[in-house]
Amino acid sequence: MNRLNPDIIKKWPIQDPKVLQLYSLPTPNGVKVSIALEEIGLPYEPHRVSFDTNDQNSAAFLAMNPNNKIPAIIDPNGPEGEPIVLFESGAILVYLAGKTGKLMPQSVAARYETLQWVMFQMGGIGPMFGQLGFFHKFAGKDFEDKRPRDRYVAESRRLLCVLNKHLTNRDWIMGQEYSIADIAIFPWVRNLIGFYEARDLVGFDDFPEVQRVLDVFVARPAVKRGLEIPSAS
């Protein structure tokens, strides 16, 4: 750890430099990584990146992620025994699955299929649900022109349709096997109908398969823990 930017260690003191360090907040992207870490059982130390104090724009955080978005990790036990710093939640999920051999199917074909659903979340569900949240709950709700909001409603419904159809007769995205694809997707679904309060707006009751799997997902003990990490204290 002593080779890393000292601003990081100064802002977020490290208790155990031998374990993975998580810099995050309980947002849909942030909890992907805390849930994965809880599911895997890999020792880690969480650090809260507070938006209230603009931590994401601090020199310390920008040293980890020049794109100033959470989450980021520092793994002192990276490839070839060297520390690695990573940002982008999807990339971190793939890294953790590769590092531990968990939350990813063993066959090559199934691994690529898992990755395609992770990309489905990153390129579709995340951006579209996020824009819907802006236009429905935040500043965009005051715009007189509702066409932007309605565009994201329609696209969110389309994505939910894709997901609902795929989950029919499946326990998880990859069938019977729980994976990083589920961890990528379902925090965003939860946020859409919870924090964004868009359940009625998108007609979520039209997607019973999504609701079914979401219910099982949020009931997992590791998910329950991961949704609260890092804590507010």
Side-chain angles (χ1 to χ4, degrees), residues 75-113:
D75 185 359
N77 306 300
E80 301 177 351
E82 293 296 322
I84 186 171
V85 182
L86 288 175
F87 63 90
E88 283 296 332
S89 57
I92 296 170
L93 288 180
V94 174
Y95 171 74
L96 293 175
K99 175 184 175 73
T100 63
K102 298 180 179 180
L103 301 175
M104 181 76 86
Q106 293 301 305
S107 78
V108 174
R111 287 203 298 271
Y112 280 113
E113 186 179 348

Side-chain angles (χ1 to χ4, degrees), residues 128-157 192 196-198 200-202:
M128 295 301 106
F129 287 12
Q131 292 293 339
L132 175 55
F134 172 80
F135 284 103
H136 178 57
K137 181 168 183 175
F138 298 109
K141 71 180 184 299
D142 297 324
F143 294 0
E144 291 185 16
D145 187 348
K146 297 304 179 186
R147 286 176 295 179
R149 184 205 66 179
D150 292 346
R151 177 187 186 280
Y152 292 116
V153 169
E155 182 62 8
S156 294
R157 277 189 59 85
L192 177 71
Y196 288 162
E197 301 173 350
D200 293 338
L201 185 64
V202 299

Side-chain angles (χ1 to χ4, degrees), residues 13-28:
I14 292 172
Q15 301 300 313
D16 186 352
K18 296 180 181 179
V19 304
L20 185 145
Q21 305 294 314
L22 169 65
Y23 302 84
S24 190
L25 200 64
T27 68

Side-chain angles (χ1 to χ4, degrees), residues 4-175:
L4 297 175
N5 189 309
D7 288 342
I8 299 170
I9 300 174
K10 182 178 180 181
K11 187 170 183 63
W12 292 286
I14 292 172
Q15 301 300 313
D16 186 352
K18 296 180 181 179
V19 304
L20 185 145
Q21 305 294 314
L22 169 65
Y23 302 84
S24 190
L25 200 64
T27 68
N29 283 332
V31 299
K32 291 181 203 174
V33 178
S34 53
I35 289 170
L37 287 166
E38 290 292 321
E39 293 280 9
I40 290 168
L42 190 67
Y44 72 102
E45 191 173 319
H47 305 276
R48 188 177 182 89
V49 180
S50 175
F51 291 171
D52 293 339
T53 53
N54 211 31
D55 283 353
Q56 73 274 20
N57 289 314
S58 66
F61 191 75
L62 291 172
M64 293 182 283
N65 183 1
N67 195 36
N68 70 297
K69 303 291 183 183
I70 59 98
I73 65 166
I74 301 174
D75 185 359
N77 306 300
E80 301 177 351
E82 293 296 322
I84 186 171
V85 182
L86 288 175
F87 63 90
E88 283 296 332
S89 57
I92 296 170
L93 288 180
V94 174
Y95 171 74
L96 293 175
K99 175 184 175 73
T100 63
K102 298 180 179 180
L103 301 175
M104 181 76 86
Q106 293 301 305
S107 78
V108 174
R111 287 203 298 271
Y112 280 113
E113 186 179 348
T114 304
L115 290 174
Q116 81 177 353
W117 286 101
V118 174
M119 302 304 170
F120 171 79
Q121 182 276 307
M122 293 167 61
I125 282 180
M128 295 301 106
F129 287 12
Q131 292 293 339
L132 175 55
F134 172 80
F135 284 103
H136 178 57
K137 181 168 183 175
F138 298 109
K141 71 180 184 299
D142 297 324
F143 294 0
E144 291 185 16
D145 187 348
K146 297 304 179 186
R147 286 176 295 179
R149 184 205 66 179
D150 292 346
R151 177 187 186 280
Y152 292 116
V153 169
E155 182 62 8
S156 294
R157 277 189 59 85
R158 188 191 70 78
L159 292 166
L160 288 167
C161 281
V162 173
L163 198 55
N164 197 73
K165 182 177 180 180
H166 179 73
L167 288 171
T168 302
N169 299 321
R170 290 173 176 261
D171 294 334
W172 300 105
I173 294 293
M174 290 302 297

